[in-house]
Amino acid sequence: MSPMLLLLLLLSLLGPALAWLPVEDWESGNVTSSGGGLECLCSVFLPDSNFPVNRVQHMQQITSDLKREVEIQINKMVSYDTKLEVYLEKLMDLTVRVAMMDSSPDDYIKLDFELLRIELREFEALVSQLRDSLNASSPALDSLFTEIHNMTLIVNQLETFDKKNLEVIRIEFLKLQRKLKECQEGQEYFKPDIGNCNNTGIVTVSKPTLIQINAHLNAGYQYGGWGKDSKPVRGHESMYWYGAYSSPSVFEFYLYSSYDKLIQRSSFTHHGLPQGYEGSGNNYIVHGNAVYFQASNPFRMSKLNLTSSVYTHRQMTKASETYTYVYSPKQYLDFSADEKGLWVLYSTEEANGKIVAAKIDEKSFAVEDEWTTNAFKPLVGNAFMACGVMYATRPGDLNTEEIYYSYDTRTGEEKQMSVYFQKFQDSFVNLHYNPTDQKLYMYNKGYYVSYNLRFGEE
C-alpha cells in the first residue's frame, strides 16, 4: 500500500479521539473550556474532490515496468560483457595464429588465408552488432575494430610471401609449360603444307580447339557458321567471319579484321540481308571476299560481294529440296572451298539422294563440272572438299564423328575410311575446310570449334 493511502486510513481511525485533544483555538490561539472541563476541538480540512486513486495505481504500474526494464538492461549488459570476453578470446587465438605465420611460415602447415579472412569478417560483423545493441560508442569496441582491421592487413601481406602458395604456383606453372610443349609438339605433328596436294588424303584429325561461344553470347543461336576467307584479298588475309541465328535461316554476317577482334566480338562491318534476299540452311562460306549461301523463295545459289554489296544469284534446277544432312535442316546446297577452287555439294532426285560434288566457275557463277558420289546424304553428318577430294562424315556417338567416305574428283576413286574426331557437343551444322591453314571449322551448337588436319604422304 502506498504512503498516501496509509495516511488517509490512519486519519479515519483516529478522528474521534482527536476531537478530545486540547488544541489552540484557530481564531484566538487560546484553549477553551466547556462544562467545567477542557474541551479541545480539532478541525481537519480535506479537499472537496475525491482522491485520484486510479492515478496513483497508474504511477505504481509505471514504476514497476521501469524497474523490470532496468533489470533486463542490466542482464543484457552482463550478457554483452560475456560475449565480448568470448570474442576477445577468439581474436587472441587469431593473433597467435597470425604471429606463428609471421615468425615461421614454413612451420605452419595448414595455411588458409581465405579462412582467416572469413573469420575476421565474422568478428567484424559481431562487433558491429554489439555496438548497435549498446547504441553507444565504446572504447573497447573501437579498439577491437582497429585490431581486426590490422590483422586483415597482416593476413593479406603474409599471403604474398607464402612459400607454400608459391610452390603451388610453380607446380601449376610447370603443368602449363608441359601443356605448351604438348601443344607445340602437336602443331609440329600437324604442321600444314599450305597449297600442296601431293598427299594420300586425311589420316588424322586433331583434338577440337574450342574458341568460345558465338558473338551474340547466345547458345540458342545454334544454326550458323564461322571461319576465315578461303581466298582472301590483299589486306584481308587475317579476316574472320560469323553468322548465326536461332533457326536454319540466313539473315546477317559479321566480319572481323583479325582473330583477336573475333574473340573480342569487335566486328568492323556487318551485312544484313534485305527482304527477299534472305537465305536458309547453314553451310555458307566466305571465298574471295564474297559470301556464298543458299537462298530461298525461290531456291537458288546466292553470292554477296562484301566490297560492292552486290548480289548475284543462280538457280539450281537439278538440286533437290528433299535431302539434307543429319544435323542440318534445310541444308540442300552446301558450299565448300579448297586448293582447287569453289564447290557446291547437293543431292538430286536422279541420284536418289546421293551427294553430287559440283565445281563452280567463280567468274560466271555457274557449275562447270560435277561428280556423283555414293554418299547417301540423309545419313551424312556433313561433307567438305579438300584438295579436290570430297569427305563425308557420319555420327559416331555423342562425343565423336567419323570421316567414313571420300571421293577423289581427280581420279574418280572412292574409299571407305575410318578417321574419328571429337565433337564438343553432340551435333553441328557447319563443317568446312579452309586451304589457307588446312583446318576444319565447325559451328557446334553455338560454339566456335576448329581442327588441324594431317594428310598422308605419297
Side-chain angles (χ1 to χ4, degrees), residues 38 80 85 213 233 260 277 306 333 363 406 414 424:
L38 293 174
Y80 291 151
E85 291 178 1
I213 197 170
V233 297
D260 291 339
Y277 292 86
L306 295 175
L333 301 176
K363 291 183 179 181
S406 68
E414 58 183 355
F424 173 63

Side-chain angles (χ1 to χ4, degrees), residues 212-268:
Q212 64 179 25
I213 197 170
N214 58 67
H216 288 95
L217 301 179
N218 189 340
Y221 277 44
Q222 298 191 12
Y223 301 94
W226 79 287
K228 295 179 64 178
D229 191 328
S230 53
K231 186 183 176 181
V233 297
R234 181 174 295 180
H236 290 81
E237 291 84 0
S238 300
M239 185 181 75
Y240 282 78
W241 60 271
Y242 155 74
Y245 202 62
S246 57
S247 64
S249 304
V250 183
F251 287 100
E252 56 187 357
F253 298 96
Y254 295 86
L255 301 179
Y256 307 85
S257 59
S258 65
Y259 178 82
D260 291 339
K261 294 297 183 182
L262 172 76
I263 298 301
Q264 297 167 11
R265 303 187 300 278
S266 177
S267 60
F268 70 85

Side-chain angles (χ1 to χ4, degrees), residues 318-386:
K318 291 184 179 182
S320 170
E321 294 183 67
T322 303
Y323 306 100
T324 187
Y325 292 133
V326 173
Y327 309 119
S328 307
K330 301 181 180 180
Q331 190 59 60
Y332 309 120
L333 301 176
D334 179 7
F335 291 93
S336 187
D338 65 359
E339 292 82 357
K340 305 299 180 180
L342 182 65
W343 304 79
V344 61
L345 309 176
Y346 54 90
S347 295
T348 64
E349 299 295 337
E350 293 79 5
N352 295 317
K354 295 178 180 178
I355 296 178
V356 175
K359 185 72 167 55
I360 297 177
D361 181 272
E362 297 180 34
K363 291 183 179 181
S364 62
F365 196 34
V367 172
E368 62 181 38
D369 206 350
E370 59 184 16
W371 295 260
T372 301
T373 73
N374 282 309
F376 186 54
K377 190 172 184 179
L379 298 180
V380 173
N382 220 293
F384 60 91
M385 300 294 299

